[in-house]
Amino acid sequence: MASFIFFLLFLFIILGGTTPAVGQSSDQSECYDWGESSESAVAVMEAESGWLSCPLFSHPSVYNYSSTQNPGHNLFWYRLPEGHDLEQPITYSSRISKDRERLWLQPALANDTGHYICMLRNLSSCSKIAMRLKVLRRDDVVPGNSCLPAVAMAATPVMIPLQQGAKVDCPDLQNANKMADGEPTVTWFHGCNKFPFGSSDRQLKGVSLQVHVMMDHYQGLYYCRVQYQRRGQTLNFTRMLNITGIYPDSLPKVPSILQPTKDKVLIVRQDKEVRLVCRGLFPYVDSPWDIWWTVDGKTVEQLNDSRFSKVKTRQVKYDYGDRQEESVLVIHDFQADDRNREFNCSVKNGRGFETRRVRLDVEVVLPSVELGCGLGVTLVLMLLLFVVYHIFWLELLLLYRSWFGTDERHTDDKEFDVYISYARNSEEETFVLSTLRRVLENELGYSVCIFDRDSLPGGTITDETLSFVARSRRLLVVVSPGYASQGSQALLELKAGIDSMALGGHLRVILVQYRPLQRQGWVRELRGARVALALVRWQGDKSEDLTSHFWKRLRVELPVRRVNSKEEGGSGKDVALMRLSSQNSTNSQTGLISNTVKHPENVYNYAA
């Protein structure tokens, strides 16, 4: 379209027509001004050859130098120096000359910097355009301590397949051939190294650089300095090339899609922004390439829907000429109906084309707030229950036993709930009779058996001890430093209880630690069975109260006891009778105990 408009303007100019924009009069005092060229300024190194090409001939369909000579057009050059407002015609000399559509500076000087106007005119038309020239010094291009040649123009890219060869020519060498009086010479550099480069893989072939086998370390910036003679003067200019190794031509050059993968379903969220990524691999070929999205067969521009937009294509990776490019399609407000749309990612270059469809599915969104609150409440309750159980676990266990526990009196034929074994000394005897017995019988309603109180006079100590232990549901052993060291009675009770427990009977042994005891103070029978036995520690005054940890812990180990209103009266009578019986038998047992202490060999025989 732009070329067609230029062509129409050209016809108006050629036919002598006038346009309001030009404002041209019959005396040709006006000239159609195209302004300044949109191309960047031309840069030339100081003391090197350079040239300006008239931008009017950059569109051959509008202006062509050969065709403009027929209607009698002439090309004129003007210069607007830096800091001046008036155009000055250029005076041609041996240094500044014109060749067709080019203005040559051989060489360029620092004060040549400024604006240059090229004007194409005949008797009936006139057009002009301006361009800028910058003459650079070496310090403007390279650091002062650099060994690299100074180059004003950008590097020319050169692609050479790896393990293959190519011939590299210096850019603009053909222009020097036109102006030189003889054959130009070319000097090649690779970085700071001047040819020869010390490798037979790179040689000069005339003025060209011949690369026989391209290697990875041959990549980089190359410089070529063209030197020629003109009218007895030696002139030169330098150009830069960026030689890059690419994958060989024998490898596939058809583009492929890396993302999205084939047959993969993307999970998206409704009413949220969705970004679909299309990533393609483009092997190097000397042809245009493209990557794009389509929605129902239309590009984003053709779709004309504000909900769809695309992010500028960007390069993700570059590897020996092969490039990975990425294009992103943004759906700003994804709707349920969009699942039925066809989203296609497509790539193409001069060798082939590929497209792939993306399948979308809507994510099932769980009520996160409700779930979060529910989970939080659950965790708080669990933590609260844990704290409560950690603090009140004994109370909870006792409460559970009172509701669901089984009264062992209905399941066995035992006579006593508890048999108390202790060292026969005054201190422990006082603890057992005044504390343990009193609370267990009077307060908790257990039937307690104490050998010194409940045994009949005249019986055998060994037989009665074994009988009492066998008829009891629990053996409560009061452990202290003096236990089992004052005689064999306590040791006999302990061995009988442990043996009954080990043989699978219905007796359980409970240890009550009356005073602290080191491990070496434990008798041999307790050392082996200590791990399997429950230990309840008496802590003096802190354990006196029935609500103390000691009594709660002891009740957990004792049988479950439920006393109803009818049984309370009977149990009270039984307790009174037991107290009376104990008082009557105390005197008789005292003589037996003293006899046993005086003649312990009767019991030692059993222990042996």
Side-chain angles (χ1 to χ4, degrees):
M1 180 62 71
S3 301
F4 180 72
I5 295 175
F6 288 147
F7 180 73
L8 292 179
L9 291 174
F10 174 72
L11 290 179
F12 274 108
I13 295 172
I14 296 298
L15 296 176
T18 60
T19 64
V22 176
Q24 181 179 347
S25 62
S26 58
D27 58 359
Q28 298 185 16
S29 60
E30 298 292 337
C31 190
Y32 187 87
D33 189 356
W34 291 89
E36 186 173 345
S37 174
S38 60
E39 298 179 358
S40 58
V42 177
V44 181
M45 291 301 302
E46 184 181 14
E48 288 191 355
S49 297
W51 57 88
L52 298 173
S53 296
C54 183
L56 289 175
F57 301 100
S58 59
H59 299 281
S61 60
V62 180
Y63 295 103
N64 182 278
Y65 186 82
S66 300
S67 62
T68 55
Q69 301 306 304
N70 297 329
H73 284 84
N74 293 315
L75 182 64
F76 299 94
W77 286 91
Y78 297 88
R79 181 183 175 219
L80 183 63
E82 293 284 344
H84 292 72
D85 297 329
L86 186 62
E87 302 173 1
Q88 300 176 1
I90 293 178
T91 302
Y92 300 113
S93 63
S94 60
R95 188 178 72 87
I96 303 178
S97 60
K98 184 182 72 169
D99 179 56
R100 293 174 61 87
E101 73 276 11
R102 287 180 179 158
L103 179 67
W104 280 82
L105 306 174
Q106 302 181 97
L109 303 179
N111 58 4
D112 289 335
T113 298
H115 283 82
Y116 288 77
I117 298 96
C118 63
M119 179 185 296
L120 186 64
R121 184 172 61 188
N122 65 2
L123 296 177
S124 59
S125 64
C126 176
S127 295
K128 65 178 181 179
I129 191 171
M131 58 189 306
R132 179 171 174 76
L133 173 68
K134 294 174 62 176
V135 180
L136 305 176
R137 299 178 183 272
R138 176 180 174 82
D139 295 340
D140 299 333
V141 179
V142 294
N145 59 352
S146 176
C147 62
L148 298 175
V151 181
M153 301 180 66
T156 302
V158 178
M159 304 295 181
I160 302 178
L162 296 171
Q163 301 298 323
Q164 296 183 17
K167 186 178 73 170
V168 182
D169 294 320
C170 186
D172 299 325
L173 178 62
Q174 66 278 10
N175 295 324
N177 288 327
K178 296 179 181 179
M179 304 302 293
D181 295 336
E183 289 292 330
T185 60
V186 179
T187 305
W188 287 89
F189 300 84
H190 183 193
C192 295
N193 300 321
K194 182 180 179 181
F195 184 85
F197 303 130
S199 173
S200 60
D201 291 337
R202 293 175 293 178
Q203 295 179 345
L204 283 183
K205 188 175 183 180
V207 294
S208 301
L209 177 64
Q210 180 67 47
V211 180
H212 296 288
V213 180
M214 181 62 188
M215 308 293 289
D216 180 74
H217 58 276
Y218 292 165
Q219 298 184 103
L221 294 177
Y222 287 73
Y223 302 85
C224 57
R225 179 174 295 163
V226 179
Q227 190 172 9
Y228 62 95
Q229 298 289 328
R230 184 175 184 271
R231 297 179 182 179
Q233 185 181 9
T234 301
L235 301 170
N236 66 80
F237 60 85
T238 306
R239 295 292 181 265
M240 180 169 56
L241 302 93
N242 185 12
I243 296 181
T244 304
I246 62 175
Y247 285 113
D249 296 335
S250 58
L251 297 178
K253 298 298 182 180
V254 178
S256 59
I257 296 176
L258 304 178
Q259 187 179 349
T261 56
K262 191 175 182 180
D263 298 330
K264 182 178 181 180
V265 178
L266 299 180
I267 306 300
V268 298
R269 299 186 65 178
Q270 189 171 337
D271 301 327
K272 299 293 183 180
E273 181 181 279
V274 176
R275 301 173 72 89
L276 303 180
V277 178
C278 176
R279 181 176 297 179
L281 173 63
F282 296 88
Y284 177 80
V285 291
D286 190 13
S287 66
W289 57 269
D290 196 7
I291 178 172
W292 71 96
W293 280 98
T294 58
V295 182
D296 295 334
K298 298 180 180 179
T299 62
V300 175
E301 293 80 8
Q302 296 171 342
L303 196 61
N304 195 22
D305 190 338
S306 60
R307 291 196 306 114
F308 298 90
S309 64
K310 64 178 182 179
V311 180
K312 186 179 179 181
T313 301
R314 69 182 186 95
Q315 179 175 296
V316 179
K317 184 179 179 181
Y318 184 87
D319 182 30
Y320 293 109
D322 293 0
R323 55 199 304 150
Q324 291 185 21
E325 298 289 335
E326 184 178 272
S327 177
V328 179
L329 174 65
V330 181
I331 307 175
H332 296 282
D333 186 15
F334 190 86
Q335 300 298 322
D337 294 340
D338 293 332
R339 291 186 302 173
N340 301 323
R341 288 179 175 266
E342 185 176 336
F343 297 93
N344 285 327
C345 163
S346 302
V347 295
K348 76 170 182 178
N349 64 4
R351 300 290 182 88
F353 167 83
E354 184 179 2
T355 185
R356 183 171 295 166
R357 182 177 179 180
V358 179
R359 300 183 182 276
L360 304 179
D361 198 1
V362 178
E363 177 186 5
V364 178
V365 181
L366 297 176
S368 56
V369 176
E370 292 79 357
L371 288 177
C373 293
L375 180 61
V377 171
T378 303
L379 292 177
V380 170
L381 290 176
M382 290 179 63
L383 180 61
L384 183 61
L385 290 176
F386 175 78
V387 173
V388 170
Y389 178 78
H390 184 73
I391 298 175
F392 303 104
W393 69 277
L394 283 175
E395 289 80 356
L396 294 175
L397 189 55
L398 290 173
L399 181 63
Y400 174 82
R401 282 162 50 89
S402 66
W403 287 349
F404 304 103
T406 302
D407 193 337
E408 297 181 20
R409 291 179 297 180
H410 305 310
T411 60
D412 59 25
D413 56 353
K414 302 284 186 172
E415 182 178 351
F416 302 102
D417 291 320
V418 182
Y419 181 89
I420 300 179
S421 173
Y422 61 96
R424 269 61 177 183
N425 57 52
S426 59
E427 182 180 3
E428 293 190 23
E429 187 172 5
T430 302
F431 170 68
V432 170
L433 296 178
S434 64
T435 301
L436 285 180
R437 182 197 62 78
R438 175 180 59 82
V439 174
L440 292 178
E441 288 184 344
N442 301 341
E443 304 294 340
L444 302 180
Y446 289 102
S447 57
V448 178
C449 179
I450 301 176
F451 183 86
D452 298 336
R453 184 194 68 178
D454 298 327
S455 61
L456 298 175
T460 304
I461 296 177
T462 303
D463 294 339
E464 290 197 18
T465 299
L466 296 177
S467 175
F468 284 144
V469 172
R471 288 182 289 163
S472 301
R473 298 183 178 90
R474 302 288 188 273
L475 173 61
L476 198 153
V477 178
V478 181
V479 181
S480 64
Y483 182 78
S485 63
Q486 301 298 326
S488 60
Q489 175 69 22
L491 182 60
L492 176 63
E493 295 165 347
L494 175 63
K495 289 175 60 66
I498 293 178
D499 291 343
S500 177
M501 187 174 179
L503 293 175
H506 295 285
L507 177 69
R508 290 176 54 187
V509 180
I510 306 171
L511 303 181
V512 174
Q513 182 174 302
Y514 178 59
R515 289 188 177 277
L517 182 64
Q518 299 295 331
R519 176 174 174 78
Q520 56 269 21
W522 294 74
V523 295
R524 179 172 55 84
E525 287 77 9
L526 283 178
R527 291 178 185 177
R530 166 65 184 89
V531 179
L533 301 180
L535 178 65
V536 185
R537 290 181 174 87
W538 174 263
Q539 296 179 344
D541 295 339
K542 294 174 58 177
S543 301
E544 291 286 351
D545 195 342
L546 289 180
T547 60
S548 66
H549 179 83
F550 172 80
W551 292 110
K552 293 177 181 177
R553 181 73 176 86
L554 186 60
R555 288 175 59 191
V556 170
E557 301 299 331
L558 293 175
V560 176
R561 180 63 66 245
R562 293 193 183 92
V563 181
N564 53 33
S565 59
K566 294 182 179 180
E567 293 176 334
E568 288 180 356
S571 62
K573 296 178 181 178
D574 294 339
V575 169
L577 292 174
M578 291 174 64
R579 289 179 181 175
L580 181 60
S581 175
S582 63
Q583 292 176 358
N584 295 332
S585 62
T586 299
N587 297 330
S588 62
Q589 292 297 327
T590 303
L592 180 60
I593 294 174
S594 59
N595 183 44
T596 304
V597 173
K598 292 179 181 180
H599 304 281
E601 63 274 4
N602 297 331
V603 182
Y604 291 161
N605 295 330
Y606 172 81

